[in-house]
């Protein structure tokens, strides 16, 4: 699949800082030390509805990771998937009486536009589940041949007990795992499974549903977790730097993915850091396509909201916090954007040197975007109240905010 166009990332004076980031698996900050090419996999959308602020907040977090790496003069190898066949997509298409392929294409196209408007850097490889099927089938066959998978009425399940490290990504107890499995796409109550938590690797063809040739697995379609493992291993290999998603992906999705990869390669962990963004809520409940309590990026854009203001609204919250979308959040961001734009519109101003370092330091320490915004606010207040004689400082601020925060002033 094609991704979306990249906005330019200006090079900044001085040196970037290495990223320390919270890793769900170890429960603490890890100092990442990527080579000259940092590798990141971010779980993509299931394209059955438009991009909402929750999605945008999560992609914003992983965009910051890349901007910090780029500032250290590294290249970034970024991979993202599109879950373009899965139960929720097929159910929505059925409900609305539309073709599931057309629905997926339309929502993926809108996602690309939203990401472009928000200046999110595009992945180098943007891969759909359907196009990944030829790579998924041999992995499932290998898991089965290794005794880590079994058949149940034609479907193929992964046995979580085959992985000695199972549980080490999300660190949850058995009861919590069972509950989340039922909530998030698993089927813990299906009779005949070896362990209720075992996830599906390959689903045998169902009447009226799309299916593909699975070689020795028979006609069917892939499970969700193996999709991301196949794409990540194919394009990044084991031991990449970050796997990212919202906190609702820690279990089961990232846990199961790590397990599949452990059995396939004998190595743990698949990613050096498992990074999870907090959940954005509306009216007290997690924003979700299934609940329908959504604020869409595209709707705000259609209403004339500047995408830079949307981005500032996201940046005003620490990526790990759960937070609530309100009209005030947006109004504050619009006011801040106006304030910053006025501050950089003069050719001179207070020195920007310390500000560049403050933003670098804030982001390098677990992506503290709110601290970065506060530092720019202070510089803008100084500009407004006292001004300054440093020729070109506003330009430096503008390029820094663009390069590190993805906000074009
Ligand atoms: N296709 C899978 C990942 S392989 C999937 O979870 N798709 S999704 O469309 O449901 O979600 C896309 C990303 O947005 C995921 O990282 C998910 O954790 C994140 N996300 C979904 N809802 C919210 C929310 N309310 N707040 C923050 N992030 C969210
Ligand atoms: Zn995924």
């Amino acid at each position: 699949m094609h991704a979306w166009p990249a906005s330019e990332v200006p090079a900044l004076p001085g040196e970037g800082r290495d990223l320390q980031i919270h890793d769900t698996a170890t429960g603490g900050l890890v100092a990442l030390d990527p080579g000259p090419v940092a590798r990141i996999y971010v779980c993509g959308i299931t394209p059955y509805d438009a991009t909402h602020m929750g999605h945008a907040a999560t992609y914003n977090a992983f965009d910051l990771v890349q901007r910090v790496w780029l500032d250290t003069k590294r290249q970034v190898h970024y991979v993202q998937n599109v879950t373009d066949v899965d139960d929720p997509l097929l159910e929505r298409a059925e409900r609305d009486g539309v073709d599931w392929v057309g629905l997926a294409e339309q929502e993926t196209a809108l996602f690309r536009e939203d990401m472009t408007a928000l200046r999110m850097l595009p992945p180098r490889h943007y891969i759909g589940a359907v196009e990944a099927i030829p790579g998924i089938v041999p992995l499932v066959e290998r898991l089965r041949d290794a005794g880590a998978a079994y058949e149940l009425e034609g479907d193929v399940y992964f046995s979580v007990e085959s992985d000695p490290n199972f549980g080490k990504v999300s660190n949850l107890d058995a009861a919590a795992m069972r509950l989340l499995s039922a909530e998030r796409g698993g089927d813990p109550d299906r009779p005949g499974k070896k362990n209720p938590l075992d996830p599906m690797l390959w689903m045998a063809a169902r009447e009226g549903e799309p299916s593909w040739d699975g070689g020795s697995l028979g006609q069917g379609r892939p499970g969700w977790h193996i999709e991301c493992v196949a794409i990540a291993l194919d394009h990044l290999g084991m031991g990449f730097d970050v796997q990212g998603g919202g906190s609702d992906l820690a279990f089961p999705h990232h846990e199961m993915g790590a397990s599949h990869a452990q059995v396939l390669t004998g190595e743990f962990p698949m990613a050096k850091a498992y990074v999870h963004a907090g959940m954005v809520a509306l009216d007290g409940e997690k924003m979700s396509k299934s609940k329908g309590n959504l604020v869409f990026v595209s709707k705000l854009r259609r209403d004339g909201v500047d995408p830079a203001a949307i981005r500032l609204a996201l940046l005003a919250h620490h990526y790990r916090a759960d937070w609530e979308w309100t009209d005030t959040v947006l109004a504050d961001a619009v006011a801040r954007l106006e304030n910053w734009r006025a501050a950089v519109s003069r050719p001179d101003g207070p020195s920007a040197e310390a500000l560049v370092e403050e933003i670098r330091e804030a982001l390098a320490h677990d992506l503290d975007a709110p601290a970065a915004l506060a530092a720019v606010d202070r510089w803008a207040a100084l500009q407004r109240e006292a001004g300054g004689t440093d020729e070109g400082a506003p330009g430096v601020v503008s390029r820094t905010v663009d390069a590190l925060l993805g906000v074009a002033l």
Side-chain angles (χ1 to χ4, degrees), residues 147-216:
Y150 60 94
E151 208 186 296
L152 182 59
E153 298 159 324
D155 300 327
V156 182
Y157 279 91
F158 176 74
S159 172
V160 295
E161 272 141 35
S162 63
D163 170 20
N165 286 316
F166 177 71
K168 289 194 182 161
V169 171
S170 54
N171 299 302
L172 298 170
D173 63 34
M177 287 198 281
R178 192 175 168 131
L179 212 70
L180 290 175
S181 162
E183 263 175 38
R184 299 176 181 166
D187 54 2
D189 298 321
R190 180 170 177 179
K193 290 173 69 173
K194 287 189 181 163
N195 182 310
L197 299 176
D198 291 346
M200 217 183 264
L201 290 164
W202 186 256
M203 181 195 267
R206 305 286 200 264
E207 187 66 39
E209 287 189 2
S211 64
W212 289 265
D213 177 14
S216 71

Side-chain angles (χ1 to χ4, degrees), residues 336-397:
R336 176 176 264 141
L337 182 63
E338 201 177 316
N339 184 9
W340 288 12
R341 282 194 172 145
V344 299
S345 65
R346 292 179 52 89
D348 54 5
S351 165
E353 251 171 67
L355 173 61
V356 176
E357 293 316 311
E358 275 178 278
I359 297 177
R360 278 183 166 139
E361 185 170 339
L363 292 182
H365 188 79
D366 204 22
L367 307 176
D368 192 347
L373 299 198
V376 182
D377 286 344
R378 285 193 296 274
W379 182 88
L382 206 58
Q383 169 75 307
R384 193 174 54 245
E385 286 151 22
T389 54
D390 208 336
E391 283 297 323
V396 172
V397 173

